[in-house]
Amino acid sequence: MTESASSRTPLSPTPRSTPTRYKDRVRTDRADLDTVLDAGLVCHLGVLLGGTPVVLPTIYGRDGDTLYIHGSTGAGSLRAAIAHDISVAVTLVDGVVYARSAMHFSMNYRSAVVLGRAVEVTGYDECLHGLRVIVEHAAPGAWSRVRPPNKKELAATKVLALDLTEASVKVRAGGPIDDAADIEAGGVWAGVLPLRQVWEAPIGSEDLAPDIAVPGDVLRRCESSLVPIR
């Protein structure tokens, strides 16, 4: 992910990827999409299964203009993802917005929705790359020290790639937007209750040998939680 966002294909708005409400929250800079995807840990995959819309949480990883997801070769959701267009959504909540009126309560958030047709990744090296991207997204630095997937494991795993060209990004920040009459009436607290995500101290496996120390990249990730993940 060394390419700058400005050097890659920009987001391509289409009728289905163009938000129609709260247009002031829409972000069109490709870097905003990358920021949301890179900060999230779980995406929600929307597919059609037997004519029924199904939304499933799953881990993912981004490499440049491509989003990778994976699962069992027997997963109906992944088969559906390469048979029909899908949506992938990532949402980060930054706080609850308290207003003076119930109708003006809101949340500060960053969200991204990607639309398109996923493509099955084929080839040994290509599958390994997709899985490495997913692992490194969830656990940066882990891939280089763990056993890589063997051929049997790869044969039981389906890796899908989704192009990130067709996507939308929305961001809400700031305080409540109350009616003037409610502000003048007073008597009700209004503001923002910020929310942040932090990593806690790592807990070693019960069967871990006592002489194996916590890896440096894990410790550094915990140290990074001293500041909000924004």
Side-chain angles (χ1 to χ4, degrees):
M1 287 181 271
T2 57
E3 285 185 287
S4 66
S6 60
S7 68
R8 298 199 306 275
T9 304
L11 292 180
S12 176
T14 65
R16 65 180 185 176
S17 67
T18 301
T20 58
R21 287 179 54 78
Y22 299 109
K23 293 185 178 181
D24 59 310
R25 301 178 186 178
V26 176
R27 300 292 185 269
T28 58
D29 192 328
R30 173 56 201 261
D32 289 319
L33 174 64
D34 294 347
T35 298
V36 173
L37 296 179
D38 293 349
L41 289 173
V42 173
C43 71
H44 285 84
L45 169 66
V47 298
L48 279 175
L49 287 177
T52 300
V54 177
V55 178
L56 301 168
T58 184
I59 61 174
Y60 66 93
R62 181 187 73 87
D63 182 18
D65 293 322
T66 303
L67 187 80
Y68 290 99
I69 59 175
H70 80 299
S72 168
T73 53
S77 59
L78 297 191
R79 291 196 300 271
I82 57 179
H84 305 281
D85 282 4
I86 62 172
S87 68
V88 172
V90 174
T91 302
L92 308 169
V93 178
D94 294 322
V96 177
V97 180
Y98 286 73
R100 298 169 179 85
S101 166
M103 291 302 295
H104 289 305
F105 268 67
S106 187
M107 287 190 178
N108 285 339
Y109 65 88
R110 292 160 288 155
S111 68
V113 177
V114 184
L115 302 168
R117 182 74 58 89
V119 176
E120 183 173 0
V121 177
T122 59
Y124 180 81
D125 291 338
E126 292 78 6
C127 286
L128 275 184
H129 174 74
L131 292 173
R132 179 184 63 79
V133 170
I134 294 171
V135 169
E136 284 294 300
H137 176 72
W143 184 268
S144 62
R145 65 171 177 272
V146 301
R147 176 182 66 78
N150 57 41
K151 291 184 177 181
K152 181 179 179 181
E153 291 169 333
L154 283 179
T157 304
K158 189 185 294 291
V159 180
L160 302 186
L162 178 64
D163 186 85
L164 293 174
T165 299
E166 189 178 5
S168 62
V169 179
K170 294 180 73 174
V171 176
R172 197 233 189 254
I177 305 174
D178 277 314
D179 295 339
D182 292 324
I183 297 174
E184 293 174 4
V188 178
W189 184 85
V192 177
L193 182 61
L195 174 67
R196 67 168 181 152
Q197 177 174 287
V198 298
W199 299 107
E200 296 187 343
I203 302 173
S205 173
E206 293 182 356
D207 56 5
L208 187 68
D211 60 336
I212 299 179
V214 178
D217 54 85
V218 176
L219 293 175
R220 286 190 294 273
R221 205 169 190 191
C222 295
E223 294 169 357
S224 71
S225 285
L226 295 177
V227 295
I229 298 178
R230 287 283 189 257

